[in-house]
Amino acid sequence: MRNFVITIDGKSYSVGVEEVGESESVNVAPKAVPVAAAAPVKSAAKISADGEKVLSPFPGLIKNLLVADGSAVKKDQPIMVLEAMKMDNEITAPCDGKVTFGVTKGANVETNAVLAVIG
């Protein structure tokens, strides 16, 4: 018996498949498997509008925050790692200032999502 996890329309199913001869058939009943939700993205309302926004250049996963929220950063300093297509991409500060993150580690983001504000 081989076990597989199949995702259909966002729902995951665990299925066991038994290898049999050509003339036999196997009935497989899908069983729902709980899937862990991604870390939530902070509400844009909680991020200060004052300052320069750091936008996501493409969709991906926030793999790591390299500085603490509220830290002073310098222009071009790496502030987080965004993983996309199995590649780690450093996101840098566009200017000097204090960083306020709009995302958390483990969050999935879309293109042009506000990652942080430097002010």
Side-chain angles (χ1 to χ4, degrees), residues 26 88 112:
V26 176
D88 289 350
N112 294 325

Side-chain angles (χ1 to χ4, degrees), residues 32-116:
V33 175
V35 178
V41 176
K42 288 183 187 175
S43 166
K46 294 183 180 180
I47 301 174
S48 171
D50 298 335
E52 191 163 341
K53 293 179 183 175
V54 180
L55 303 179
S56 178
F58 36 74
L61 170 76
I62 303 301
K63 191 168 180 183
N64 201 7
L65 301 178
L66 302 175
V67 296
D69 197 35
S71 297
V73 294
K74 297 284 186 190
K75 183 179 189 320
D76 297 326
Q77 177 182 347
I79 58 172
M80 71 178 69
V81 177
L82 176 65
E83 181 184 292
M85 296 177 57
K86 306 283 185 204
M87 298 278 296
D88 289 350
N89 302 277
E90 284 188 343
I91 304 299
T92 59
C95 60
D96 292 354
K98 192 178 198 178
V99 64
T100 303
F101 287 110
V103 293
T104 57
K105 181 178 177 180
N108 286 306
V109 296
E110 296 298 324
T111 303
N112 294 325
V114 178
L115 302 177

